[in-house]
Amino acid sequence: MKKYLSLLVWWIGLQLVAQDNLTYQTPPKAIADLINAPTTPRVSIDTKGNWMLIMQTASYPGIAELAEPELRIAGLRINLRNNGPSRMSYLTGLSLKNIRTGKDVPVTGLPQNPLISNVSWSPDDSQIAFCVTEGENIQLYVLDVATAAAHKVTTTRINSVLTTPFIWLSDNTHLLVLSVPDTRGALPEAPKVPSGPIVQENLGKKAPSRTYQDLLKSPYDEALFDYYATAQLNRINVKTAAVEKLGKPALIQNYQPSPDGKYILFQTYHKPYSYLVTVRLFPHKIELLDSKANLVKQLADVPLADNIPIGFSATRTGQREHSWRSDAPATLYWIEAQDNGDPKNDVPVRDKVFTLSAPFTGNADELASTKLRFDGIRWGNENLALVSESWWSTRKEITTILNPKTKATTVLFDRSYEDTYNNPGSPQLTKNQYGRYVLEIVDNNLIMTGQGASPEGDRPFVDLLSLSTKKSTRLWRSAAPYYEVPVAILDLKKQVLLTRRESLTENPNYFIRNLKARIAPIAVTQFAHPYPQMKDVQKQLLKYKRADGVELSATLYLPAGYKKEEGPLPTLMEAYPTEFKSKDAAGQVTGSPYQFTYIYWGSPVFWATQGYAIMENASIPIVGEGTKEPNDTYIEQLVAGAKGAIDEGVRLGVVDAKRVGVMGHSYGAFMTANLLSHSNLFKAGIARSGAYNRTLTPFGFQAEERTYWQAPDVYFNMSPFSSADKIKTPILLIHGEADNNPGTFPIQSERYYNAIKGHGGTARYVVLPYESHGYRGKESILHMLWEMDKWLDTYVKKAAVN
């Protein structure tokens, strides 16, 4: 009786505090210490494998930074102070390390407490350009690698609203840079009185679209978009700081220089804008300019793409995906759909690849065609390229060897991309004379690297793939007790690799590994363990079966020092459902039992410090083989997958089946709500930033291609909102006030909470100010963890066991 009274007092207290504007709270010290742990640096390697750029990363920003003025418009989020994207993840320091000698070299010339972004090596790797945000300006800096000295190139104010703010030219001396126009003028004033209604009209054409956030809503929004997104293209000499304006200000989305630097592929948005889709689907012109920004040729004027057919293999009509061949001095290529972009049209050819070379006076040449949707091309040389194509509904992908000179093709891989066990990996790239990345070809072989998924977990590898025989020779594979990833091939003949190695107890560091000499790897970095207090937390990869025989897996964490003789533990399960077309593919193991556990803000592993067993990334496959759609039996498969995980934990003697909680973020939140509605497996649930009513996303969601009108029962039955009257298990709903993810509008959580409340369920709804789909503010994250810890402590750990 005392236990129930204490729960009642705590719950009433929470209700009273919530009405008294609860201030930010802090979770138990063991959890807070993990959030406050120092961050591990990021690294970037030059293509020669000589230098490593070590980049210090910023910790979670304070809520005051998130509260800075922000414009949410046309699918963008703009920092009004500096004319760049808001919510940037900055670097706070740079240093260099010579990989061959191990010598650390500090970088000079940086401002105090720099906020660094957009780091880019020059084509010859001798310099590194980057941006530094200084108050109301974003400035351009360049670092000379040989001297480790950085300097501000110019005081030109950078504009990075629409795209990357600068691009190196192949001469290693000049950059193309986007700036705020000198002639921009004053900020448009908001009208005090509207000039008329806002009208949208559709005259009989189909224009289905998924739900988007932060859209244009008025002519004034259009004026603000033009004001902040318009940029001036410049050519800047990094040696002399000379600035040359190129052309007139425009809404510049793409400005790719040709490999030889003589031309610029130029893409600009123009009106009419849309109030239904984001800027990436706005009308745009694609033009070819010379190096002085004079028009050479208009390639296309692409209309508003608000009528793309439904389907994950759908695309826009007309020209798309314009770019330069990286292996030629000045040859453009682009793609054109042959099925009107509609997957439902049955045609022998889906896409064609066209090319056009300097001086661009003739007609485009058809280079290749694909039976499936074009999915990319990797250029090698005039005799070799790899063309990728894929198709969503069958999960099929084809990689073809293409001879650009003769147009001859041969299939290299024809496979299901769901089959991770047989993934051949990706080819290694190298820089050519233009500083562009091309296939690294060694005696008619490609160097392939991949994750190496296997029943034992991921085992990254390096293979040599013969283009003649299509057979692979394995050069190296990661082995227990480490998870080791190849980062760079330092010397192919001597088989010297740079790898990133980690284990259960060792955080990732970089090593030089000589495959022929068979000597111990040589450490290049010695990054400190970010949270030594977690070293003794136990971790293992579980493999088990669902009731229908589908193989499943999960990562189990147990508290430091825990022994099974102490009895089963309260448990927290975390998952994210995934759709498959094959039971065999659905049962393949993901992850590695030897990976170091990095703990991020959304992790469930925090509660291993609080005496819980953690089942992280429990696989919840939703399978629809053949003509069946996965979501037709979503609920049954969802519950069966969760039950399989709990049963395995019980079999091991570590999970208390009567004290299990479940959590998830986004689609994992959707999963959590459904599990609480349709099973009695859990004592409580935590759902963050989810969508709960699928009729609010009627033109498809997640991996569902069908519309609400095509599959109304699926939309209704899968929506937790439809079963709000059934949910009696306590659920904690958390949502970012500024969620920008399509489909997960905060109103989803608001309406779901009201529905549960209206039927007498136990629920708590927490809105985090200024947070979007992923949470960033330190105060928000600590408070979220406090809410979760209280919820789990009350309804899982201290739950009454009948």
Side-chain angles (χ1 to χ4, degrees):
M1 186 66 180
K2 288 182 179 179
K3 180 180 292 185
Y4 289 111
L5 285 174
S6 64
L7 291 179
L8 179 62
V9 169
W10 180 77
W11 179 248
I12 292 174
L14 283 181
Q15 298 301 303
L16 292 174
V17 170
Q19 294 174 19
D20 289 337
N21 297 320
L22 180 67
T23 58
Y24 288 111
Q25 301 295 305
T26 303
K29 185 177 184 300
I31 294 178
D33 285 348
L34 294 173
I35 287 295
N36 294 320
T39 59
T40 300
R42 291 164 46 196
V43 306
S44 178
I45 313 295
D46 75 355
T47 51
K48 302 179 181 67
N50 292 326
W51 289 98
M52 174 185 289
L53 178 68
I54 299 176
M55 302 170 281
Q56 298 296 330
T57 58
S59 183
Y60 296 107
I63 198 67
E65 182 177 321
L66 269 64
E68 289 186 356
E70 175 186 61
L71 180 64
R72 305 170 189 172
I73 199 168
L76 304 170
R77 295 201 163 177
I78 303 169
N79 187 314
L80 298 182
R81 291 184 61 218
N82 59 39
N83 221 94
S86 60
R87 302 167 187 267
M88 287 287 291
S89 296
Y90 292 110
L91 306 171
T92 57
L94 303 174
S95 63
L96 289 164
K97 176 182 281 287
N98 188 304
I99 295 173
R100 311 288 177 165
T101 66
K103 182 180 179 181
D104 290 298
V105 184
V107 170
T108 61
L110 295 175
Q112 190 173 10
N113 302 318
L115 299 175
I116 300 168
S117 60
N118 301 99
V119 174
S120 176
W121 292 83
S122 64
D124 66 357
D125 296 325
S126 67
Q127 301 168 90
I128 302 171
F130 54 93
C131 293
V132 176
T133 299
E134 299 177 349
E136 296 185 354
N137 298 308
I138 302 175
Q139 303 284 262
L140 177 67
Y141 278 68
V142 168
L143 165 64
D144 180 79
V145 174
T147 63
H151 70 281
K152 184 189 297 187
V153 176
T154 173
T155 58
T156 298
R157 188 182 180 195
I158 281 179
N159 184 331
S160 59
V161 166
L162 285 178
T163 187
T164 183
F166 64 83
I167 298 175
W168 281 100
L169 291 176
S170 56
D171 64 3
N172 299 290
T173 300
H174 291 89
L175 290 162
L176 294 182
V177 181
L178 298 182
S179 67
V180 175
D182 296 336
T183 57
R184 182 163 74 172
L187 182 71
E189 290 188 13
K192 296 180 180 179
V193 179
S195 60
I198 308 300
V199 177
Q200 298 186 58
E201 182 178 49
N202 188 68
L203 300 178
K205 74 173 184 177
K206 290 185 178 181
S209 65
R210 294 202 170 200
T211 49
Y212 296 104
Q213 314 253 28
D214 304 334
L215 300 177
L216 296 173
K217 297 181 178 67
S218 68
Y220 177 61
D221 281 355
E222 295 187 42
L224 288 176
F225 171 69
D226 286 342
Y227 181 83
Y228 284 104
T230 299
Q232 172 66 54
L233 180 64
N234 308 273
R235 181 187 290 106
I236 296 181
N237 187 311
V238 300
K239 308 295 185 185
T240 67
V243 179
E244 178 187 2
K245 291 182 181 179
L246 300 177
K248 297 179 180 179
L251 296 169
I252 303 170
Q253 193 276 334
N254 189 6
Y255 58 109
Q256 295 181 40
S258 59
D260 64 5
K262 295 180 180 179
Y263 300 92
I264 302 170
L265 178 61
F266 199 60
Q267 177 176 320
T268 55
Y269 293 118
H270 63 78
K271 293 182 177 180
Y273 302 148
S274 171
Y275 293 5
L276 288 178
V277 297
T278 62
V279 61
R280 68 182 182 86
L281 297 176
F282 284 6
H284 57 273
K285 286 184 180 180
I286 302 169
E287 299 172 320
L288 181 63
L289 311 180
D290 65 17
S291 62
K292 297 293 184 180
N294 298 307
L295 180 65
V296 174
K297 189 182 187 71
Q298 179 170 307
L299 298 170
D301 192 344
V302 182
L304 174 68
D306 65 346
N307 60 344
I308 295 176
I310 288 294
F312 292 108
S313 294
T315 189
R316 69 197 320 158
T317 57
Q319 298 181 16
R320 71 179 198 273
E321 300 180 45
H322 296 72
S323 191
W324 296 102
R325 277 185 58 166
S326 54
D327 63 325
T331 297
L332 287 168
Y333 75 95
W334 64 84
I335 317 303
E336 293 185 25
Q338 304 300 299
D339 58 359
N340 290 321
D342 192 342
K344 294 183 179 65
N345 291 332
D346 187 10
V347 296
V349 173
R350 292 286 177 184
D351 281 323
K352 288 185 177 180
V353 183
F354 292 90
T355 63
L356 185 62
S357 299
F360 311 103
T361 53
N363 295 322
D365 180 43
E366 181 184 328
L367 178 66
S369 61
T370 62
K371 296 179 180 179
L372 310 179
R373 187 67 70 213
F374 175 84
D375 205 23
I377 187 165
R378 296 182 178 95
W379 300 100
N381 54 39
E382 62 178 7
N383 298 312
L384 177 65
L386 296 181
V387 178
S388 299
E389 54 189 286
S390 64
W391 199 246
W392 165 260
S393 62
T394 60
R395 310 304 198 266
K396 184 183 183 69
E397 71 174 9
I398 299 173
T399 302
T400 301
I401 301 172
L402 167 69
N403 185 319
K405 182 184 290 185
T406 66
K407 302 181 184 178
T409 61
T410 180
V411 173
L412 180 61
F413 305 122
D414 186 341
R415 56 184 301 275
S416 167
Y417 58 76
E418 288 184 336
D419 181 10
T420 57
Y421 286 179
N422 293 296
N423 189 331
S426 300
Q428 284 287 102
L429 304 178
T430 188
K431 282 184 180 178
N432 61 12
Q433 69 269 34
Y434 305 112
R436 302 298 177 95
Y437 284 98
V438 294
L439 295 169
E440 185 165 9
I441 306 165
V442 183
D443 298 329
N444 206 36
N445 295 291
L446 297 178
I447 304 169
M448 306 291 287
T449 60
Q451 280 296 99
S454 74
E456 297 81 37
D458 290 347
R459 296 183 60 190
F461 63 83
V462 178
D463 282 357
L464 203 60
L465 172 65
S466 169
L467 292 170
S468 301
T469 66
K470 302 179 187 177
K471 302 294 184 183
S472 292
T473 301
R474 181 133 297 170
L475 301 180
W476 173 83
R477 190 182 190 190
S478 177
Y482 296 106
Y483 174 74
E484 195 166 1
V485 179
V487 176
I489 312 293
L490 301 183
D491 190 325
L492 182 62
K493 289 184 178 180
K494 295 181 179 179
Q495 295 189 8
V496 180
L497 309 179
L498 179 69
T499 67
R500 186 182 69 248
R501 192 181 79 176
E502 58 193 90
S503 71
L504 288 173
T505 57
E506 298 176 20
N507 55 295
N509 270 293
Y510 292 80
F511 292 80
I512 293 176
R513 174 180 285 279
N514 190 313
L515 305 185
K516 285 188 174 181
R518 299 186 181 278
I519 58 176
I522 301 171
V524 176
T525 61
Q526 295 84 31
F527 298 139
H529 197 298
Y531 10 79
Q533 68 270 38
M534 294 289 289
K535 274 191 173 183
D536 295 327
V537 169
Q538 305 167 58
K539 176 182 177 181
Q540 68 180 105
L541 179 67
L542 304 183
K543 291 189 287 185
Y544 49 97
K545 288 186 178 182
R546 202 164 69 180
D548 60 0
V550 174
E551 298 280 350
L552 303 178
S553 63
T555 303
L556 174 69
Y557 296 86
L558 298 170
Y562 166 76
K563 297 179 181 178
K564 290 184 182 180
E565 299 80 59
E566 298 173 12
L569 297 169
T571 301
L572 176 59
M573 189 183 89
E574 178 267 344
Y576 192 95
T578 306
E579 294 79 0
F580 292 90
K581 293 298 292 180
S582 159
K583 286 185 178 180
D584 289 340
Q588 293 184 351
V589 174
T590 60
S592 166
Y594 305 113
Q595 280 182 281
F596 180 76
T597 302
Y598 264 117
I599 303 177
Y600 77 109
W601 62 267
S603 173
V605 182
F606 292 104
W607 283 275
T609 68
Q610 304 301 303
Y612 291 80
I614 307 299
M615 300 192 81
E616 183 188 41
N617 195 29
S619 55
I620 307 284
I622 311 296
V623 186
E625 293 190 304
T627 59
K628 296 179 180 179
E629 291 294 334
N631 285 339
D632 290 343
T633 52
Y634 172 85
I635 298 297
E636 298 91 326
Q637 296 191 66
L638 185 74
V639 173
K643 186 176 186 302
I646 294 172
D647 287 350
E648 177 64 11
V650 171
R651 186 189 70 80
L652 293 173
V654 298
V655 169
D656 183 348
K658 295 182 179 180
R659 292 188 298 163
V660 181
V662 61
M663 65 169 279
H665 190 89
S666 194
Y667 203 54
F670 177 76
M671 169 207 73
T672 296
N674 268 312
L675 284 171
L676 299 192
S677 297
H678 300 287
S679 79
N680 58 1
L681 297 170
F682 302 98
K683 283 294 184 180
I686 300 169
R688 297 188 312 234
S689 298
Y692 308 102
N693 184 349
R694 286 307 175 188
T695 67
L696 298 178
T697 55
F699 286 103
F701 61 88
Q702 200 68 13
E704 178 58 65
E705 290 188 293
R706 296 169 296 182
T707 70
Y708 166 75
W709 297 274
Q710 293 171 322
D713 290 346
V714 170
Y715 276 70
F716 180 86
N717 294 331
M718 285 184 67
S719 294
F721 184 85
S722 304
S723 303
D725 58 329
K726 299 178 182 178
I727 187 165
K728 304 304 178 186
T729 306
I731 185 168
L732 172 62
L733 300 171
I734 302 174
H735 216 119
E737 168 268 328
D739 194 328
N740 60 339
N741 183 55
T744 55
F745 289 72
I747 197 172
Q748 289 271 3
S749 289
E750 178 186 331
R751 295 290 171 84
Y752 185 46
Y753 168 73
N754 285 334
I756 295 171
K757 180 182 176 183
H759 287 94
T762 300
R764 180 172 169 85
Y765 176 35
V766 179
V767 178
L768 300 175
Y770 300 109
E771 295 293 347
S772 65
H773 194 61
Y775 312 152
R776 295 192 64 232
K778 181 171 286 189
E779 293 91 338
S780 300
I781 292 167
L782 290 172
H783 184 86
M784 174 202 73
L785 295 170
W786 176 81
E787 293 275 4
M788 293 174 65
D789 185 67
K790 288 290 186 183
W791 199 259
L792 292 169
D793 188 63
T794 302
Y795 293 111
V796 177
K797 181 182 281 188
K798 296 178 181 176
V801 179
N802 297 324

